[in-house]
Amino acid sequence: MNSEKESFQQKNYIQKSLFYRLSQFVGFLLGARFFVAVLLTFALYVSTFFLFNQEESFRKFVFDFRVHGIIFCTVLSILAGGIINQFYDFEKDHIVKPFRTRIQSFIKQKYFLYAYLALTVISLGIASFISYRVLIFFVVYQFFMWFYSHKLSRILILNNFTFVSLTLYPFFGMMVYYQTFSRKVFLMAIFIFLILLCIDIVKDTLTKSVDKAFGYTTIPNYFKSKNTKIILISLLIVTMAVSMKLIVKTGIEGFMFYYFTGGLFVMIVCVYLLLNSSRHTKFLTLNILRLWVFIGILAMLLNGIEGKL
């Protein structure tokens, strides 16, 4: 009888131990924004090969280890940035993201910091092997990721502009690497910048009271709701104007033509939702814009494949 009881307790202990380890692993992935890093990696590869890389063949691109090294350093930097951001936002996330915070609680914060330091050192170490310019590029990137989490995320307007700029910084680096400067690329950069800016401001409207309580001065908790709505609608109208400019003036075609044409309709829908403002419509607007960014990556991929065939 005692033997069966001990066996049951041992089995129960193993199950709990496995659950604990799994929870720690999931908590680390969530804390490091792993899934965001995966999406950005996919977007980087798609944009690098099909937008910035105008001359190299697929074979040459595959064996261009400098490019893979830069993208790998970017992924490590994004993971490190996600960790340091959740470290500074830990108390706020307890209220805004209770489930994720609960999962992350299986890992002590000091281990997140150890992981942050390790990812930072590995990223800069690899960058230094590629070239000193790449090293400087990632030193600047990682410094502003830390500075954003430490200070800039609490400063009005700077928080939104810095967040969006840091998201697009790796893409700017690849554009400079391939020396791809054109009106089309410039307008596409403005388009995605404006959409990401709208996403960030809409996201702030959903956490308005919590941000205010924890000292984050955002557009929604500094201006009145009406003024925030005007700012968002104005940004969406400018985004529509950029889409029309891309369609009419750059000769864009294929899947990307349909993407930017469809984007006009998507922006109109978002404007309508914001005019009928409620928490539900804001949440819906946020997810429509996020989905449209993802569809844009797929459209670029399909457009590039079509162009290469």
Side-chain angles (χ1 to χ4, degrees), residues 148 152-167 193 196-205 211 217-220 223 231 235:
Y148 166 78
L152 298 180
S153 62
R154 297 173 182 269
I155 301 175
L156 179 67
I157 297 175
L158 268 178
N159 46 19
N160 301 113
F161 276 89
T162 306
F163 175 79
V164 176
S165 299
L166 286 172
T167 304
F193 182 91
L196 291 175
L197 186 58
C198 288
I199 288 172
D200 203 42
I201 296 172
V202 173
K203 186 177 66 177
D204 287 341
T205 65
D211 286 332
T217 310
T218 62
I219 287 173
F223 297 102
I231 291 168
L235 287 171

Side-chain angles (χ1 to χ4, degrees), residues 206-236:
L206 295 170
T207 59
K208 179 180 175 180
S209 56
V210 179
D211 286 332
K212 193 170 184 177
F214 284 96
Y216 292 81
T217 310
T218 62
I219 287 173
N221 67 37
Y222 184 83
F223 297 102
K224 293 179 180 178
S225 296
K226 184 180 177 180
N227 292 332
T228 302
K229 191 189 298 184
I230 290 170
I231 291 168
L232 279 168
I233 291 172
S234 300
L235 287 171
L236 289 169

Side-chain angles (χ1 to χ4, degrees), residues 93-298:
D93 287 345
H94 263 293
I95 300 171
V96 178
K97 301 166 184 174
F99 174 74
R100 194 179 79 181
T101 308
R102 173 61 182 159
I103 295 294
Q104 287 172 215
S105 67
F106 285 95
I107 305 177
K108 293 180 180 178
Q109 286 295 295
K110 68 176 182 179
Y111 294 119
F112 276 115
L113 285 178
Y114 293 156
Y116 166 72
L117 291 172
L119 290 167
T120 300
V121 170
I122 293 169
S123 174
L124 295 180
I126 295 171
S128 66
F129 278 108
I130 298 171
S131 76
Y132 77 92
R133 290 179 181 175
V134 174
L135 175 62
I136 293 170
F137 177 84
F138 280 104
V139 167
V140 172
Y141 188 35
Q142 294 190 7
F143 169 77
F144 276 101
M145 277 185 154
W146 167 79
F147 195 51
Y148 166 78
S149 299
H150 176 63
K151 187 69 68 176
L152 298 180
S153 62
R154 297 173 182 269
I155 301 175
L156 179 67
I157 297 175
L158 268 178
N159 46 19
N160 301 113
F161 276 89
T162 306
F163 175 79
V164 176
S165 299
L166 286 172
T167 304
L168 295 178
Y169 186 81
F171 298 90
F172 172 75
M174 297 311 297
M175 183 180 73
V176 173
Y177 179 81
Y178 280 104
Q179 298 289 303
T180 309
F181 304 103
S182 66
R183 179 192 285 186
K184 182 176 79 171
V185 171
F186 178 69
L187 287 172
M188 287 175 72
I190 293 174
F191 176 85
I192 193 66
F193 182 91
L194 290 169
I195 285 192
L196 291 175
L197 186 58
C198 288
I199 288 172
D200 203 42
I201 296 172
V202 173
K203 186 177 66 177
D204 287 341
T205 65
L206 295 170
T207 59
K208 179 180 175 180
S209 56
V210 179
D211 286 332
K212 193 170 184 177
F214 284 96
Y216 292 81
T217 310
T218 62
I219 287 173
N221 67 37
Y222 184 83
F223 297 102
K224 293 179 180 178
S225 296
K226 184 180 177 180
N227 292 332
T228 302
K229 191 189 298 184
I230 290 170
I231 291 168
L232 279 168
I233 291 172
S234 300
L235 287 171
L236 289 169
I237 291 170
V238 174
T239 307
M240 289 171 65
V242 173
S243 291
M244 291 176 69
K245 193 86 171 175
L246 274 160
I247 295 164
V248 175
K249 297 292 185 180
T250 64
I252 203 163
E253 54 187 20
F255 286 95
M256 293 305 290
F257 172 82
Y258 295 116
Y259 174 73
F260 287 111
T261 304
L264 298 173
F265 173 74
V266 170
M267 297 306 123
I268 291 169
V269 170
C270 289
V271 168
Y272 172 77
L273 289 171
L274 289 170
L275 287 171
N276 297 273
S277 187
S278 68
R279 185 172 181 83
H280 174 72
T281 56
K282 288 173 185 174
F283 186 74
L284 188 58
T285 303
L286 177 65
N287 286 299
I288 287 172
L289 290 173
R290 283 173 170 171
L291 179 63
W292 197 244
V293 171
F294 179 68
I295 290 172
I297 299 168
L298 295 180

Side-chain angles (χ1 to χ4, degrees), residues 36-47:
V36 174
V38 169
L39 179 61
L40 283 173
T41 304
F42 176 60
L44 262 176
Y45 269 109
V46 170
S47 59

